[in-house]
Amino acid sequence: MDSESRQGSERWGTLSKGSFNVFYKLMMVELVNAARRIAAPTQSANRQVREEKLLEWSVAVKVLHMLVNFVKEFDGRPNLSIALKYGRMFIEVFLRQAMPLLDSIFRIHTDDIQSILKKLQLSTRLLQHVCSHSKVIKDVSLTNHIPPLKKALEVLLYKVKAMLFNNKCTEAFWLGNLKNRDLQGQEILSQALESQSDTDRTTADVTDMPTDDESDVDLSEEEVANNPAVSVGEVDSDAGVDSYSEIV
């Protein structure tokens, strides 16, 4: 949308760059509500019911990824605020209703669950970039969303670790550091300099772990596609770096 950015869409007459945040909020709200309607299966639920729920969560996570990606193009404050708020709400619903399901069928549908986590990780990574961007521009209306989002991502991190432990896959779990990046994925040098000592100390305390350059964060799309690893991130607003776990 450039010269015609203020004109309405041919299909949606009232949709323009100026009104996008209204549509964007409605889509995010509906996604969260749709996720809430995917009730966690009961203990007595049969395999077919669990597989249907798994498919629903797969679709929901893909939609989240598409919606969160909009902030790369529509990066106004209202849209970033919506992404942070409702992205966090989606993750909270995912923790309550999806994680018990994934845990119960992990051994049967390992590849499908891995695919869901990889897609979810793309969204959480971009949300981390929004957090970094918010801290750089020092927008209080945006940074206020960071603590609750950080908490949700931390819980997600530990829930995934617990799922791997329950399924005897703990050897595939490790922690590393992600670089601070802006909405377009470019490294934020000012924060990188401020957090260098914290990053060095963190990596020094972890043995036999890949460095940032060895992680999947900086790989090309082709290399990522060929890499079977899954990483789930958390925002570390205190140290100024993003840490993440990776499932190999």
Side-chain angles (χ1 to χ4, degrees):
M1 288 180 154
D2 11 281
S3 60
E4 302 180 355
S5 62
R6 295 292 170 180
Q7 298 179 9
S9 161
E10 291 185 5
R11 183 174 182 183
W12 309 99
T14 57
L15 175 60
S16 65
K17 191 170 184 178
S19 64
F20 177 79
N21 65 299
V22 178
F23 285 81
Y24 190 49
K25 181 177 180 179
L26 288 174
M27 289 187 289
M28 290 293 281
V29 168
E30 181 53 35
L31 173 61
V32 172
N33 289 336
R36 286 172 175 161
R37 291 193 291 269
I38 309 175
T42 61
Q43 292 286 347
S44 58
N46 59 35
R47 179 171 177 173
Q48 181 179 352
V49 171
R50 295 176 186 274
E51 290 176 346
E52 289 174 355
K53 299 293 183 183
L54 183 65
L55 178 59
E56 290 182 71
W57 276 114
S58 178
V59 173
V61 169
K62 288 178 182 177
V63 173
L64 175 69
H65 175 55
M66 289 188 289
L67 291 180
V68 172
N69 258 324
F70 276 127
V71 300
K72 292 182 179 179
E73 179 71 22
F74 303 94
D75 56 0
R77 179 196 295 174
N79 297 328
L80 298 182
S81 179
I82 291 168
L84 290 173
K85 178 180 179 179
Y86 293 99
R88 184 258 305 167
M89 293 174 68
F90 181 93
I91 292 170
E92 291 174 344
V93 177
F94 186 88
L95 288 168
R96 289 195 306 269
Q97 298 176 199
M99 285 305 300
L101 169 67
L102 303 188
D103 195 19
S104 68
I105 59 176
F106 182 83
R107 296 185 183 182
I108 303 174
H109 295 284
T110 304
D111 290 342
D112 292 330
I113 293 174
Q114 175 176 299
S115 177
I116 289 174
L117 292 177
K118 289 176 74 173
K119 184 66 71 174
L120 179 62
Q121 184 264 343
L122 294 177
S123 298
T124 60
R125 182 186 298 170
L126 185 49
L127 289 174
Q128 291 164 0
H129 295 171
V130 176
C131 289
S132 297
H133 172 76
S134 302
K135 287 185 286 185
V136 168
I137 64 176
K138 298 179 180 179
D139 189 320
V140 178
S141 65
L142 295 177
T143 56
N144 284 341
H145 289 292
I146 294 179
L149 176 59
K150 172 185 174 182
K151 180 179 179 181
L153 292 175
E154 286 176 343
V155 175
L156 177 62
L157 180 73
Y158 293 118
K159 288 282 188 180
V160 171
K161 184 175 181 179
M163 178 176 68
L164 294 174
F165 179 82
N166 292 336
N167 290 280
K168 298 179 173 56
C169 294
T170 52
E171 71 283 351
F173 184 94
W174 57 270
L175 292 174
N177 290 315
L178 294 180
K179 299 174 182 177
N180 285 294
R181 299 183 185 277
D182 60 22
L183 300 180
Q184 305 307 322
Q186 300 301 313
E187 185 176 2
I188 302 175
L189 297 179
S190 60
Q191 282 192 324
L193 291 174
E194 293 173 3
S195 64
Q196 184 62 45
S197 60
D198 291 313
T199 304
D200 291 342
R201 183 168 60 252
T202 302
T203 53
D205 292 337
V206 181
T207 59
D208 299 323
M209 297 297 179
T211 63
D212 284 334
D213 294 334
E214 293 172 339
S215 73
D216 70 338
V217 177
D218 297 317
L219 296 179
S220 66
E221 291 185 3
E222 181 179 355
E223 290 172 313
V224 171
N226 294 328
N227 186 348
V230 178
S231 57
V232 180
E234 66 172 311
V235 178
D236 188 339
S237 58
D238 298 322
V241 297
D242 299 331
S243 61
Y244 70 102
S245 66
E246 186 157 307
I247 307 168
V248 181

